[in-house]
Amino acid sequence: MYSQTIQPRFNETDALGHINNTVVAAWFEGCRDPLFRLFTPELNPAQWRLILAKFSVEFHAELFYGEPVEIRTWVSRVGTSSFDVSQQAWQLGKHCASGVAVMVHYDFNAKQSAALTETLKAQLLAL
């Protein structure tokens, strides 16, 4: 698992005074960069090797402006060509949101999934 801290911005709040629910998905995606670098070290879109097949977010408590949010990220499943990335958002010691993203190793030229190498599987499992 690895952790990153997000400082919520004022413009990420909604009319109810808390962080808008669409923002958490964007935070989670941004915190997946270290995983993206395993496949595309320079994050060059022309060399991209992943697609997002599915994601879900569950909300457990409100998130607020003015206090940092810790995003915890880890790989929870590794398959033949896909893997699951589990994430949690924590603020002030409270578990506020959870999410899972299913990522697929993808060959854009062939327009099909590609098997994960044993090296990639080992790197993913280390997380």
Side-chain angles (χ1 to χ4, degrees):
M1 179 180 81
Y2 62 91
S3 173
Q4 292 177 275
T5 300
I6 303 288
Q7 186 60 52
R9 300 176 300 181
F10 181 76
N11 71 326
E12 294 171 326
T13 61
D14 62 19
L16 300 174
H18 52 71
I19 299 301
N20 186 281
N21 57 12
T22 62
V23 170
V24 174
W27 286 350
F28 283 172
E29 181 181 50
C31 291
R32 289 195 294 267
D33 275 358
L35 289 167
F36 296 160
R37 286 184 188 282
L38 294 177
F39 295 85
T40 311
E42 302 300 322
L43 300 180
N44 180 347
Q47 298 171 345
W48 210 251
R49 297 176 185 356
L50 291 172
I51 58 171
L52 177 67
K54 174 182 169 181
F55 77 91
S56 64
V57 177
E58 292 182 49
F59 299 95
H60 311 292
E62 295 172 309
L63 290 155
F64 296 97
Y65 172 72
E67 296 292 338
V69 175
E70 178 190 10
I71 306 295
R72 299 175 184 175
T73 303
W74 67 96
V75 174
S76 53
R77 181 193 66 84
V78 176
T80 303
S81 62
S82 66
F83 58 97
D84 293 355
V85 181
S86 292
Q87 295 178 285
Q88 296 177 340
W90 290 76
Q91 188 178 53
L92 298 172
K94 187 181 251 186
H95 180 198
C96 299
S98 299
V100 177
V102 179
M103 305 299 303
V104 177
H105 188 219
Y106 194 75
D107 181 334
F108 282 89
N109 292 324
K111 303 236 182 273
Q112 65 185 22
S113 62
L116 293 164
T117 65
E118 292 304 315
T119 301
L120 283 170
K121 285 183 182 182
Q123 291 173 321
L124 290 168
L125 288 169
L127 297 173

